[in-house]
């Protein structure tokens, strides 16, 4: 009974006009930043360690810009419950998508490297831009609350994408490959591994950072193509996401080289618009600071 009720109110809330949505977002920013101080200590530490060349006033400005954007992202994500595909295509544009579609027409599946950067929930609209015969897939962490899990799957799959739990990834991809289906799979690959699973470290934002290498292993094992999705925020409520090929022969690369390329591209994006990264995440809890 709880799910239908929450879904109804979610859709009702998502129908509010954009101008009101962003007025509410401004209020949410004040609540998160000034009143609750939500994870401000972690955000400040992440920013000062990641940008040692910046002054304290510059760090504070990035911090405030981030919380503004963070509030926007939360409420923009709710819009997925009712926004039309046509409107979302105007607000979340994918560039160089023809390069991915060309691979698909050749029968090649594609791994798309993402980060907790920009509005990654709106990236679920990627299937609107792909070839009709291609399965658009997104890998995700299952939520503990079953009701919230159903709500998140509902909004993430409205644009035709398929959500696959992380621990089911290998089995799902194996079934696709065996059935000769072509897919484009989005991996948010910048999560911090557990300490006991931290086996490979690389330089990232002035940290010697432990990273997950599962996306690289999958890409190489199944012979997938590898692209990075470079997201830019054009203005409030409008984004561009460009597909950038990481390498034309990822299977030929030495171990970890594909992961290195991904983090280099992600760092360049963060340097360009630092407020778009998820600084509330304790990304560097198992990392070491570097000069």
């Amino acid at each position: 009974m709880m799910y239908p009720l929450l879904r109804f109110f979610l859709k009702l809330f998502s129908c509010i006009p954009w101008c009101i949505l962003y007025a509410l977002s401004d209020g949410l920013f004040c609540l998160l930043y000034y009143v609750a101080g939500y994870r401000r200590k972690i955000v400040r530490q992440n920013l000062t360690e990641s940008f040692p060349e910046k002054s304290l006033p510059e760090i504070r400005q990035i911090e405030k810009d981030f919380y503004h954007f963070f509030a926007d992202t939360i409420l923009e994500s709710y819009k997925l419950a009712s926004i039309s595909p046509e409107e979302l295509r105007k607000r979340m544009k994918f560039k160089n998508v023809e390069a991915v579609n060309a691979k698909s027409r050749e029968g090649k599946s594609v791994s798309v490297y993402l980060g907790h950067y920009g509005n990654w929930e709106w990236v679920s609209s990627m299937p609107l831009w792909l070839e009709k015969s291609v399965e658009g897939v997104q890998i995700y962490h299952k939520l503990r609350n079953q009701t919230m899990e159903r709500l998140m799957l509902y909004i993430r799959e409205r644009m035709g994408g398929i959500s696959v739990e992380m621990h089911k990834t290998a089995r799902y991809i194996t079934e696709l490959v065996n059935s000769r289906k072509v897919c484009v799979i989005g991996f948010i690959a910048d999560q911090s591994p557990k300490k006991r699973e931290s086996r490979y470290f690389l330089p990232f934002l002035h940290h010697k950072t432990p990273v997950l290498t599962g996306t690289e292993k999958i890409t190489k094992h199944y012979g997938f193509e590898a692209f990075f999705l470079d997201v830019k925020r054009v203005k409030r409520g409008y984004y561009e996401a460009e597909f950038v090929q990481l390498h034309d022969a990822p299977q030929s690369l030495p171990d970890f080289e594909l992961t290195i390329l991904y983090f280099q591209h992600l760092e360049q994006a963060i340097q360009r618009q630092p407020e778009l990264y998820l600084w509330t995440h304790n990304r560097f809890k198992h990392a070491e600071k570097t000069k």
Side-chain angles (χ1 to χ4, degrees):
M1 288 295 294
M2 184 62 69
Y3 171 72
L5 184 63
L6 289 177
R7 177 170 161 174
F8 169 77
F9 282 111
L10 175 62
K11 291 196 70 172
L12 189 65
F13 177 80
S14 70
C15 290
I16 64 174
W18 291 97
C19 58
I20 297 177
L21 181 93
Y22 288 121
L24 291 173
S25 180
D26 291 340
L28 181 59
F29 157 73
C30 292
L31 180 64
L32 291 171
Y33 187 73
Y34 291 110
V35 180
Y38 176 70
R39 296 201 169 192
R40 278 188 62 176
K41 184 177 180 180
I42 292 175
V43 172
R44 177 63 63 85
Q45 180 177 331
N46 284 341
L47 288 173
T48 53
E49 291 181 358
S50 298
F51 302 103
E53 75 283 0
K54 294 187 181 297
S55 66
L56 184 57
E58 290 176 309
I59 293 294
R60 285 175 177 165
Q61 187 59 55
I62 296 173
E63 187 178 83
K64 289 182 179 180
D65 290 344
F66 161 70
Y67 276 96
H68 269 293
F69 174 70
F70 184 51
D72 281 359
T73 303
I74 293 172
L75 298 189
E76 285 174 357
S77 297
Y78 292 149
K79 272 288 187 180
L80 287 172
S82 64
I83 192 171
S84 68
E86 293 75 21
E87 183 174 7
L88 192 51
R89 278 179 63 96
K90 294 177 183 178
R91 291 178 171 271
M92 184 74 188
K93 294 184 177 180
F94 287 82
K95 300 175 64 179
N96 196 33
V97 69
E98 179 54 33
V100 174
N101 284 333
K103 299 294 183 184
S104 300
R105 287 192 293 270
E106 294 173 7
K108 298 178 180 179
S109 292
V110 175
S111 293
V112 180
Y113 281 79
L114 313 170
H116 285 95
Y117 183 84
N119 191 331
W120 59 88
E121 292 293 349
W122 278 17
V123 174
S124 64
S125 64
M126 184 169 58
L128 298 175
W129 300 77
L130 301 176
E131 294 284 320
K132 298 296 183 183
S133 60
V134 172
E135 289 200 18
V137 181
Q138 51 204 353
I139 308 302
Y140 79 102
H141 280 291
K142 186 175 182 179
L143 301 178
R144 293 181 180 179
N145 185 289
Q146 292 185 2
T147 300
M148 293 305 299
E149 167 86 355
R150 291 180 67 186
L151 286 173
M152 290 305 296
L153 290 178
Y154 166 67
I155 65 174
R156 286 174 175 171
E157 295 182 341
R158 279 194 69 238
M159 300 301 154
I162 299 170
S163 299
V164 177
E165 292 178 43
M166 179 172 284
H167 75 278
K168 296 180 180 178
T169 303
R171 184 176 66 183
Y172 183 85
I173 294 176
T174 299
E175 291 175 353
L176 284 180
V177 172
N178 290 341
S179 60
R180 298 185 179 180
K181 290 184 179 179
V182 177
C183 58
V184 176
I185 305 182
F187 296 88
I188 296 182
D190 63 336
Q191 289 124 330
S192 178
K194 296 178 181 179
K195 190 172 184 179
R196 65 177 181 272
E197 298 172 353
S198 299
R199 297 184 178 88
Y200 184 69
F201 293 72
L202 55 74
F204 177 58
L205 293 172
H206 294 279
H207 292 82
K208 184 180 179 183
T209 311
V211 297
L212 295 172
T213 58
T215 303
E216 176 175 329
K217 291 176 182 177
I218 288 172
T219 301
K220 288 185 173 182
H221 179 77
Y222 292 100
F224 286 4
E225 300 294 322
F227 282 78
F228 172 71
L229 193 65
D230 188 13
V231 180
K232 299 181 179 69
R233 193 190 199 196
V234 180
K235 60 181 179 179
R236 212 173 192 182
Y238 290 86
Y239 303 85
E240 288 181 352
E242 182 177 3
F243 290 101
V244 179
Q245 190 168 15
L246 289 175
H247 196 270
D248 58 3
Q251 286 71 35
S252 69
L253 295 174
D255 288 346
F256 310 122
E257 186 66 27
L258 192 59
T259 303
I260 292 171
L261 289 172
Y262 158 62
F263 274 97
Q264 288 175 346
H265 279 274
L266 180 60
E267 182 165 338
Q268 289 172 9
I270 293 170
Q271 293 284 356
R272 184 182 63 232
Q273 289 182 290
E275 69 277 8
L276 302 191
Y277 195 53
L278 186 63
W279 297 107
T280 52
H281 176 46
N282 197 3
R283 180 67 186 82
F284 305 111
K285 58 186 175 183
H286 303 312
E288 300 174 7
K289 286 187 292 183
T290 59
K291 295 181 181 181

